[in-house]
C-alpha cells in the first residue's frame, strides 16, 4: 500500500485518486491533534477537512515526508486556533482535559493499564510540555519541525521536551511505572 506522502506526490502529478492514500495515512492523527485543541470531534473533523482541502487547492511541493508532515500539523494547529478564536472561546491555552476519543489511537501504543496511567500523567503536564512531547515522540517530528508547528525556537522545543520528560519521569516514578519513563 502506498504511503500518504507518495500518494500526495502522485496527486500533484495528476493522479486524483492517489490523494486518498494521504487522507488514509494522516486523517486519524490529525483528528486527534486538532481535537486536543477544540475538544469537539465534529469541529475537529471540519478543521481536518479544511487542512486536506488546502493541500488540494495549494498543491504545494515538499522535499521530504517530514517536511510534509510538519506542514500538515502546522496547518492543523493554525486552523484549530482560528476556529477557537472564531468561536470566541480562545483563552490563550490548550484545553486541559484530553477527550475520550484519544483512547482509540493510544491503544496502539501501550497496554491498557499503563496507557491509562500514562495518559493521566500526561494530562497533568503543562500544555506546552504535552504538545512538544506529542509532536516529537508520537508524530516523530524533528525539534526544528516541532518548533515551526508551535511557533517557538528549536532551543525552546529542546527545553520543553527536556522539562516535560523530567516532569513525566517524576510522575511515572510516583505511579510505579518508571519503565515507561525511559523516553
Amino acid at each position: 500500500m502506498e504511503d500518504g506522502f507518495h500518494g500526495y506526490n502522485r496527486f500533484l502529478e495528476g493522479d486524483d485518486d492517489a490523494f486518498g492514500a494521504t487522507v488514509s495515512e494522516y486523517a486519524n492523527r490529525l483528528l486527534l491533534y486538532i481535537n486536543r485543541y477544540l475538544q469537539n470531534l465534529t469541529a475537529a473533523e471540519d478543521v481536518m477537512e479544511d487542512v486536506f482541502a488546502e493541500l488540494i487547492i495549494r498543491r504545494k511541493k515538499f522535499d521530504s515526508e517530514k517536511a510534509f508532515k510538519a506542514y500538515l500539523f502546522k496547518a492543523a494547529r493554525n486552523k484549530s486556533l482560528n476556529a477557537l478564536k472564531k468561536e470566541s472561546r480562545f483563552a490563550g491555552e490548550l484545553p486541559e482535559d484530553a477527550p475520550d476519543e484519544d483512547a482509540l489511537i493510544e491503544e496502539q501504543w501501550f497496554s491498557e493499564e499503563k496507557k491509562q496511567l500514562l495518559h493521566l500523567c500526561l494530562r497533568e503536564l503543562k500544555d506546552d510540555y504535552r504538545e512538544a512531547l506529542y509532536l516529537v515522540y508520537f508524530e516523530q517530528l524533528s525539534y526544528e519541525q516541532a518548533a515551526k508547528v508551535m511557533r517557538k525556537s528549536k532551543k525552546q522545543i529542546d527545553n520543553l521536551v527536556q522539562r516535560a520528560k523530567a516532569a513525566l519521569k517524576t510522575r511515572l516514578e510516583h505511579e510505579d511505572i518508571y519503565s515507561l519513563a525511559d523516553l
Side-chain angles (χ1 to χ4, degrees):
M1 181 173 181
E2 183 170 52
D3 70 31
F5 176 66
H6 290 98
Y8 179 70
N9 285 333
R10 284 193 38 236
F11 167 75
L12 291 177
E13 294 168 359
D15 183 355
D16 291 338
D17 295 331
F19 193 75
T22 302
V23 173
S24 294
E25 182 168 339
Y26 292 104
N28 287 337
R29 293 186 290 184
L30 278 176
L31 188 61
L32 172 66
Y33 183 72
I34 294 165
N35 199 40
R36 288 181 187 265
Y37 283 95
L38 303 181
Q39 293 192 356
N40 177 325
L41 192 55
T42 302
E45 288 172 342
D46 291 342
V47 169
M48 179 190 64
E49 288 172 6
D50 288 347
V51 171
F52 286 126
E54 185 174 309
L55 278 177
I56 291 170
I57 293 167
R58 292 199 179 186
R59 295 178 180 256
K60 182 177 170 138
K61 292 189 179 194
F62 299 93
D63 295 334
S64 68
E65 183 173 5
K66 287 192 173 198
F68 176 70
K69 194 177 193 181
Y71 175 83
L72 279 178
F73 282 89
K74 184 174 183 176
R77 182 179 198 266
N78 291 339
K79 289 183 180 299
S80 297
L81 292 175
N82 287 339
L84 286 171
K85 286 177 187 176
K86 193 173 190 178
E87 293 177 16
S88 300
R89 293 185 335 184
F90 183 71
E93 296 181 18
L94 291 174
E96 289 183 27
D97 298 321
D100 291 338
E101 290 84 14
D102 293 353
L104 297 175
I105 293 176
E106 289 172 346
E107 285 176 5
Q108 300 170 18
W109 298 325
F110 303 102
S111 68
E112 190 62 33
E113 290 175 21
K114 289 182 179 180
K115 178 195 70 153
Q116 289 174 358
L117 284 173
L118 179 64
H119 185 66
L120 290 172
C121 293
L122 284 169
R123 287 173 69 179
E124 293 177 5
L125 294 178
K126 291 181 180 179
D127 295 333
D128 280 350
Y129 290 2
R130 187 171 51 241
E131 185 172 8
L133 284 178
Y134 179 80
L135 292 172
V136 170
Y137 288 99
F138 293 107
E139 290 305 328
Q140 298 177 342
L141 296 182
S142 69
Y143 282 30
E144 187 173 277
Q145 292 165 331
K148 287 179 184 177
V149 171
M150 293 180 69
R151 293 187 175 151
K152 298 194 181 291
S153 71
K154 183 179 174 182
K155 181 64 178 164
Q156 286 174 309
I157 295 299
D158 181 50
N159 289 339
L160 286 172
V161 169
Q162 295 309 316
R163 291 176 186 153
K165 286 169 51 176
L168 187 58
K169 178 182 173 184
T170 299
R171 188 68 184 131
L172 291 173
E173 286 173 339
H174 181 264
E175 294 293 334
D176 292 327
I177 54 171
Y178 178 72
S179 62
L180 288 177
D182 262 351
L183 301 173

